[in-house]
């Protein structure tokens, strides 16, 4: 299994960035995909998850009205569109595959609910 994340970089407050994560070695269409982030000196925390049904999404409160998670099953890729970025969004962003479960909601914010991880992509937002 490989997850290749890309799209990170530097941005100014208020700018937008889109992260991509392309998967291989998994049945992408039946896998829920998540994004986590680890700020400088902090822990890895949940950002968003999208189910095999793309209408099923969950977000952490701090990004709910600014970030959008989506997926393109034809490309085995999930995206995180980040709008109105703020300095507190500065972090290394990771994509991950969620363990199989009938409900995407099941422990969706827990790091240990995800079994494969990408290498991370750095996003730096300056004020």
């Amino acid at each position: 299994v490989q997850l290749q994340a890309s799209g990170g970089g530097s941005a100014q407050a208020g700018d937008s960035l889109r992260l991509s994560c392309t998967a291989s070695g998994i049945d992408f269409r039946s896998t829920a995909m998540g994004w986590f982030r680890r700020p400088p000196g902090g822990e890895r925390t949940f950002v968003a998850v999208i189910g095999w049904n793309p209408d099923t999404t969950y977000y952490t409160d701090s990004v709910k009205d600014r970030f959008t998670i989506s997926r393109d099953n034809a490309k085995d890729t999930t995206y995180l569109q980040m709008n109105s970025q703020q300095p507190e969004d500065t972090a290394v962003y990771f994509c991950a595959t969620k363990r199989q479960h009938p409900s995407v909601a099941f422990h969706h914010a827990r790091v240990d609910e995800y079994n494969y991880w990408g290498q991370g992509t750095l996003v730096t937002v300056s004020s």
Side-chain angles (χ1 to χ4, degrees), residues 5-122:
S6 61
S10 298
Q12 297 287 322
D15 284 353
S16 298
L17 280 176
R18 189 178 78 158
L19 305 182
S20 301
C21 174
T22 300
S24 60
I26 61 171
D27 180 7
F28 186 80
R29 292 174 183 270
S30 66
T31 302
M33 299 295 298
W35 286 97
F36 284 70
R37 63 185 179 185
R38 186 180 65 220
E43 296 184 350
R44 193 175 303 198
T45 60
F46 170 77
V47 176
V49 64
I50 185 167
W52 47 90
N53 177 348
D55 293 332
T56 301
T57 58
Y58 297 94
Y59 298 89
T60 192
D61 286 346
S62 63
V63 309
K64 200 167 286 186
D65 297 322
R66 300 185 296 120
F67 291 10
T68 302
I69 189 171
S70 61
R71 63 190 297 152
D72 184 342
N73 287 341
K75 297 182 179 179
D76 291 349
T77 299
T78 186
Y79 303 98
L80 186 68
Q81 178 67 43
M82 305 185 293
N83 298 332
S84 302
Q85 289 189 273
Q86 300 300 317
E88 53 266 34
D89 295 323
T90 294
V92 177
Y93 284 73
F94 301 88
C95 59
T97 58
K98 193 175 185 294
R99 299 182 189 277
Q100 293 295 324
H101 191 277
S103 173
V104 174
F106 183 77
H107 293 322
H108 67 270
R110 288 176 51 159
V111 170
D112 61 2
E113 191 58 25
Y114 295 78
N115 50 359
Y116 296 106
W117 295 82
Q119 83 284 8
T121 184
L122 176 63

